[in-house]
Coordinates of all heavy atoms in Angstrom, one line a residue:
R26 N 10.8 5.7 12.5 CA 10.3 4.3 12.3 C 11.2 3.3 13.0 O 10.8 2.2 13.2 CB 9.9 3.9 10.9 CG 8.7 4.7 10.4 CD 8.4 4.6 9.0 NE 7.2 5.4 8.6 CZ 7.1 6.7 8.5 NH1 8.2 7.5 8.7 NH2 6.0 7.3 8.3
R31 N 11.4 -3.2 14.9 CA 10.4 -3.5 13.9 C 10.1 -5.0 13.7 O 9.1 -5.4 13.4 CB 10.9 -2.8 12.6 CG 11.1 -1.5 12.6 CD 9.7 -0.8 12.2 NE 9.2 -1.4 11.0 CZ 8.5 -0.7 10.2 NH1 7.9 0.4 10.5 NH2 8.1 -1.4 9.0
G34 N 7.7 -6.4 15.8 CA 6.4 -5.7 15.5 C 5.3 -6.6 14.9 O 4.2 -6.3 14.7
Y35 N 5.8 -7.8 14.7 CA 4.8 -8.8 14.0 C 4.8 -10.1 14.8 O 5.7 -10.5 15.4 CB 5.2 -9.1 12.6 CG 5.2 -8.1 11.6 CD1 6.2 -7.2 11.3 CD2 3.9 -7.7 11.1 CE1 6.0 -6.2 10.4 CE2 3.8 -6.6 10.2 CZ 4.8 -5.9 9.8 OH 4.7 -4.8 9.0
W102 N -2.9 -16.8 -5.4 CA -4.2 -16.4 -6.0 C -5.3 -17.2 -5.4 O -6.5 -16.9 -5.6 CB -4.1 -16.5 -7.5 CG -3.0 -15.5 -8.0 CD1 -1.8 -15.9 -8.4 CD2 -3.0 -14.1 -8.0 NE1 -1.0 -14.8 -8.7 CE2 -1.8 -13.6 -8.5 CE3 -4.2 -13.2 -7.7 CZ2 -1.6 -12.3 -8.6 CZ3 -3.9 -11.8 -7.9 CH2 -2.6 -11.4 -8.4
Y107 N -9.0 -11.1 -1.8 CA -9.5 -9.8 -1.3 C -10.1 -9.0 -2.5 O -9.6 -9.2 -3.6 CB -8.5 -9.0 -0.5 CG -7.3 -8.7 -1.2 CD1 -7.1 -7.6 -2.1 CD2 -6.1 -9.4 -1.2 CE1 -6.1 -7.3 -2.8 CE2 -5.0 -9.1 -1.8 CZ -4.9 -8.1 -2.7 OH -3.8 -7.7 -3.4
A110 N -8.1 -7.4 -5.7 CA -6.8 -8.2 -6.0 C -6.5 -8.2 -7.4 O -7.4 -8.6 -8.2 CB -6.8 -9.6 -5.4
S111 N -5.4 -7.8 -7.9 CA -5.1 -7.9 -9.3 C -3.6 -7.9 -9.4 O -2.8 -7.5 -8.6 CB -5.7 -6.7 -10.1 OG -4.9 -5.6 -9.9
C112 N -3.2 -8.4 -10.7 CA -1.8 -8.5 -11.0 C -1.0 -7.2 -11.0 O -1.6 -6.2 -11.5 CB -1.9 -8.9 -12.5 SG -0.6 -10.1 -12.9
D113 N 0.1 -7.1 -10.2 CA 0.6 -5.7 -10.3 C 1.8 -5.7 -11.1 O 2.5 -4.7 -11.4 CB 1.0 -5.3 -8.8 CG 2.2 -5.9 -8.2 OD1 2.7 -6.9 -8.7 OD2 2.8 -5.4 -7.1
I114 N 2.1 -6.8 -11.8 CA 3.1 -6.8 -13.0 C 2.1 -7.1 -14.3 O 1.1 -7.7 -14.1 CB 3.9 -8.1 -12.8 CG1 4.8 -7.9 -11.6 CG2 4.8 -8.3 -14.1 CD1 6.0 -7.0 -11.6
Y119 N 3.4 -11.7 -16.6 CA 3.3 -12.4 -15.3 C 2.6 -13.8 -15.5 O 3.1 -14.7 -14.7 CB 2.4 -11.5 -14.3 CG 2.1 -12.2 -13.0 CD1 3.0 -12.1 -11.9 CD2 1.0 -13.0 -12.8 CE1 2.8 -12.7 -10.8 CE2 0.8 -13.7 -11.6 CZ 1.7 -13.5 -10.5 OH 1.4 -14.1 -9.3
L197 N 6.3 -15.4 0.0 CA 5.4 -14.4 0.8 C 4.0 -15.1 1.1 O 3.0 -14.7 0.5 CB 5.1 -13.2 -0.2 CG 6.2 -12.2 -0.1 CD1 6.0 -11.2 -1.2 CD2 6.4 -11.5 1.2
R201 N 1.5 -12.9 8.5 CA 2.0 -12.3 9.8 C 0.9 -11.2 10.2 O 0.3 -10.6 9.4 CB 3.3 -11.6 9.7 CG 3.3 -10.4 8.6 CD 4.7 -9.8 8.5 NE 4.6 -8.6 7.7 CZ 5.6 -7.9 7.3 NH1 6.8 -8.1 7.7 NH2 5.3 -6.8 6.6
P203 N 0.1 -7.9 13.0 CA 0.9 -6.8 13.8 C 0.8 -7.2 15.3 O -0.2 -7.7 15.8 CB 0.1 -5.6 13.6 CG -1.2 -5.9 13.0 CD -1.1 -7.3 12.4
A204 N 2.0 -7.1 15.9 CA 2.0 -7.4 17.4 C 1.4 -6.3 18.2 O 2.1 -5.6 18.9 CB 3.4 -7.7 17.8
I205 N 0.1 -6.1 18.0 CA -0.6 -4.9 18.8 C -1.1 -5.4 20.1 O -1.7 -6.5 20.1 CB -1.7 -4.4 17.9 CG1 -1.3 -3.9 16.5 CG2 -2.4 -3.3 18.6 CD1 -2.4 -3.7 15.5
H217 N -7.4 -11.6 8.3 CA -6.3 -11.1 7.5 C -6.8 -11.1 6.0 O -7.5 -11.9 5.6 CB -5.2 -12.1 7.7 CG -3.8 -11.7 7.0 ND1 -3.5 -12.0 5.7 CD2 -2.9 -10.9 7.5 CE1 -2.4 -11.5 5.4 NE2 -1.9 -10.9 6.5
T218 N -6.1 -10.2 5.3 CA -6.6 -10.0 3.9 C -6.5 -11.3 3.0 O -7.3 -11.5 2.0 CB -5.8 -8.9 3.1 OG1 -4.5 -9.1 3.5 CG2 -6.3 -7.5 3.5
V245 N -5.6 -2.2 8.8 CA -4.2 -2.0 9.2 C -3.3 -2.2 8.2 O -3.3 -3.3 7.6 CB -3.9 -3.0 10.4 CG1 -2.5 -2.6 11.0 CG2 -5.0 -3.0 11.6
G246 N -2.6 -1.2 7.8 CA -1.6 -1.2 6.7 C -2.1 -0.5 5.4 O -3.2 -0.2 5.2
T247 N -1.0 -0.1 4.7 CA -1.1 0.7 3.5 C -0.2 0.1 2.5 O 0.5 1.0 1.7 CB -1.0 2.1 3.7 OG1 0.2 2.4 4.4 CG2 -2.2 2.7 4.4
G248 N 0.2 -1.2 2.5 CA 1.1 -1.8 1.5 C 0.2 -2.1 0.2 O -0.9 -1.7 -0.1
A249 N 0.9 -3.0 -0.6 CA 0.4 -3.3 -1.9 C -1.1 -3.9 -1.8 O -1.9 -3.7 -2.7 CB 1.4 -4.2 -2.6
T250 N -1.3 -4.7 -0.8 CA -2.6 -5.4 -0.7 C -3.6 -4.3 -0.3 O -4.7 -4.2 -1.0 CB -2.5 -6.4 0.5 OG1 -1.5 -7.4 0.1 CG2 -3.9 -7.1 0.7
A251 N -3.4 -3.5 0.8 CA -4.3 -2.5 1.2 C -4.7 -1.6 0.1 O -5.9 -1.1 -0.1 CB -3.6 -1.8 2.4
Q253 N -4.9 -2.0 -2.9 CA -5.9 -2.7 -3.9 C -7.3 -2.8 -3.3 O -8.2 -2.7 -4.0 CB -5.3 -4.0 -4.4 CG -4.1 -3.9 -5.3 CD -3.6 -5.2 -5.9 OE1 -3.9 -6.2 -5.4 NE2 -2.9 -5.0 -7.0
F268 N -5.7 2.8 9.0 CA -4.6 3.0 9.9 C -3.2 2.9 9.3 O -2.8 1.8 8.8 CB -4.7 2.0 11.1 CG -5.9 2.2 11.9 CD1 -7.1 1.4 11.7 CD2 -6.0 3.2 13.0 CE1 -8.2 1.6 12.5 CE2 -7.0 3.4 13.7 CZ -8.2 2.6 13.5
Q269 N -2.6 4.0 9.1 CA -1.3 4.1 8.3 C -0.1 4.3 9.2 O -0.1 5.2 10.0 CB -1.4 5.3 7.3 CG -0.1 5.6 6.5 CD -0.3 6.8 5.7 OE1 -0.7 6.7 4.5 NE2 0.1 8.0 6.1
R270 N 0.9 3.4 8.9 CA 2.2 3.6 9.6 C 3.2 4.2 8.6 O 3.9 5.3 9.1 CB 2.7 2.3 10.2 CG 3.9 2.4 11.1 CD 4.1 1.1 11.7 NE 4.6 0.1 10.9 CZ 5.0 -1.1 11.3 NH1 4.9 -1.4 12.7 NH2 5.4 -2.1 10.5
T271 N 3.2 3.9 7.4 CA 4.1 4.5 6.4 C 3.3 4.6 5.1 O 2.7 3.7 4.6 CB 5.3 3.6 6.1 OG1 5.9 3.3 7.4 CG2 6.3 4.3 5.2
P272 N 3.2 5.7 4.5 CA 2.4 5.9 3.3 C 3.1 5.2 2.2 O 4.3 5.1 2.1 CB 2.5 7.5 3.0 CG 3.2 8.1 4.1 CD 3.8 7.0 4.9
K379 N 10.2 0.2 -1.0 CA 9.2 -0.6 -0.8 C 8.5 -0.9 -2.2 O 8.8 -0.3 -3.1 CB 8.0 0.1 0.0 CG 8.3 0.2 1.5 CD 7.2 1.0 2.2 CE 7.5 1.1 3.8 NZ 7.3 -0.2 4.5
R380 N 7.7 -2.0 -2.2 CA 7.2 -2.3 -3.5 C 6.2 -1.1 -4.0 O 5.4 -0.8 -3.3 CB 6.3 -3.5 -3.4 CG 6.0 -4.1 -4.9 CD 5.5 -5.6 -4.8 NE 5.1 -6.1 -6.1 CZ 5.8 -6.9 -6.8 NH1 7.0 -7.3 -6.4 NH2 5.4 -7.4 -7.9
T401 N -0.5 7.4 11.8 CA 0.0 7.2 13.1 C 1.5 7.7 13.3 O 2.2 7.3 14.2 CB 0.0 5.6 13.5 OG1 0.9 5.0 12.5 CG2 -1.3 5.1 13.5
G403 N 4.3 7.0 11.8 CA 5.3 6.1 11.7 C 5.3 5.1 12.8 O 6.1 4.2 12.9
L404 N 4.3 5.2 13.8 CA 4.4 4.3 15.0 C 3.4 3.2 15.1 O 3.5 2.2 15.8 CB 4.1 5.2 16.3 CG 5.2 6.3 16.4 CD1 4.9 7.3 17.5 CD2 6.6 5.6 16.6
G405 N 2.4 3.3 14.2 CA 1.4 2.1 14.2 C 0.3 2.2 15.3 O 0.3 3.2 16.2
I406 N -0.5 1.3 15.4 CA -1.6 1.2 16.3 C -1.0 1.0 17.6 O -0.1 0.2 17.9 CB -2.6 0.1 15.9 CG1 -3.3 0.6 14.6 CG2 -3.6 -0.1 17.1 CD1 -4.3 -0.4 14.1
A429 N -4.2 -5.9 6.8 CA -3.4 -6.0 5.5 C -1.9 -5.9 5.9 O -1.2 -5.0 5.4 CB -3.9 -4.9 4.6
S430 N -1.5 -6.7 6.9 CA -0.2 -6.7 7.5 C 0.9 -7.5 6.8 O 2.0 -7.7 7.4 CB -0.3 -7.0 9.0 OG -1.1 -8.2 9.2
G431 N 0.5 -8.2 5.6 CA 1.5 -8.8 4.9 C 1.9 -10.2 5.3 O 1.3 -10.9 6.0
F432 N 3.2 -10.5 4.9 CA 3.6 -11.9 5.1 C 5.2 -11.9 5.6 O 5.8 -11.0 5.3 CB 3.6 -12.6 3.7 CG 2.2 -12.5 3.2 CD1 1.8 -11.5 2.3 CD2 1.3 -13.5 3.4 CE1 0.5 -11.4 1.9 CE2 0.0 -13.4 3.0 CZ -0.4 -12.3 2.2
P547 N 12.0 1.3 6.9 CA 11.9 -0.1 7.1 C 10.7 -0.8 6.5 O 9.6 -0.2 6.3 CB 11.8 -0.3 8.7 CG 11.4 1.0 9.2 CD 11.7 2.0 8.2
G548 N 10.9 -2.0 6.0 CA 9.8 -2.8 5.5 C 10.5 -4.2 5.2 O 11.7 -4.4 5.4
Y549 N 9.7 -5.1 4.6 CA 10.3 -6.5 4.4 C 11.4 -6.4 3.3 O 12.2 -7.3 3.2 CB 9.2 -7.5 4.0 CG 8.8 -7.5 2.6 CD1 9.3 -8.3 1.6 CD2 7.5 -6.8 2.3 CE1 8.9 -8.2 0.3 CE2 7.0 -6.8 1.0 CZ 7.7 -7.6 0.0 OH 7.3 -7.6 -1.2
Y550 N 11.5 -5.4 2.4 CA 12.5 -5.3 1.4 C 13.9 -5.1 2.0 O 14.9 -5.6 1.5 CB 12.3 -4.1 0.5 CG 11.4 -4.4 -0.9 CD1 10.5 -5.4 -0.9 CD2 11.7 -3.6 -1.9 CE1 9.9 -5.6 -2.0 CE2 10.9 -3.8 -3.2 CZ 10.0 -4.9 -3.1 OH 9.3 -5.1 -4.3
E553 N 13.2 -5.1 7.6 CA 12.7 -4.2 8.6 C 13.9 -3.3 9.2 O 13.9 -3.1 10.3 CB 12.1 -5.1 9.8 CG 10.8 -5.9 9.3 CD 9.7 -5.0 8.7 OE1 9.6 -3.8 9.0 OE2 9.0 -5.6 7.8
Ligands
LIG1 P1 3.3 -5.4 3.3 O1 4.2 -6.0 4.2 O2 3.7 -4.7 2.2 O3 2.5 -4.3 4.2 C1 2.1 -4.4 5.4 C2 1.5 -3.1 6.0 O4 1.1 -3.2 7.4 C3 2.5 -1.9 5.9 O5 1.8 -0.8 5.4 C4 2.9 -1.7 7.3 O6 3.4 -0.6 7.7 C5 1.6 -2.1 8.1 N1 1.7 -2.3 9.5 C6 2.3 -3.3 10.1 N2 2.2 -3.3 11.4 C7 1.4 -2.3 11.7 C8 0.9 -1.7 12.8 N3 1.2 -2.1 14.1 N4 0.1 -0.6 12.7 C9 -0.1 0.0 11.5 N5 0.2 -0.5 10.4 C10 1.1 -1.6 10.5 O7 2.1 -6.4 2.9 P2 1.2 -6.5 1.6 O8 0.3 -7.7 1.9 O9 0.6 -5.1 1.4 O10 2.2 -6.8 0.4 C11 3.1 -7.8 0.6 C12 3.7 -8.2 -0.8 O11 2.8 -9.0 -1.6 C13 3.8 -7.1 -1.8 O12 5.0 -6.3 -1.6 C14 3.9 -7.7 -3.0 O13 5.2 -8.3 -3.4 C15 2.8 -8.9 -2.8 N6 1.6 -8.3 -3.4 C16 1.4 -8.5 -4.7 C17 0.3 -8.1 -5.3 C18 0.1 -8.4 -6.8 O14 0.9 -8.8 -7.5 N7 -1.0 -8.2 -7.2 C19 -0.8 -7.5 -4.6 C20 -0.5 -7.3 -3.2 C21 0.6 -7.8 -2.6 P3 5.0 -0.1 7.4 O15 4.9 0.2 5.9 O16 5.3 1.0 8.3 O17 5.8 -1.3 7.6

Side-chain angles (χ1 to χ4, degrees):
R26 291 167 174 81
R31 296 271 309 202
Y35 291 101
W102 299 102
Y107 59 82
S111 76
C112 220
D113 77 349
I114 295 284
Y119 176 84
L197 284 169
R201 64 181 188 181
I205 302 170
H217 187 269
T218 46
V245 183
T247 49
T250 299
Q253 292 187 339
F268 293 96
Q269 172 181 274
R270 193 164 66 174
T271 308
K379 287 178 175 285
R380 194 164 176 105
T401 64
L404 298 174
I406 291 174
S430 44
F432 306 88
Y549 80 86
Y550 269 27
E553 300 298 333

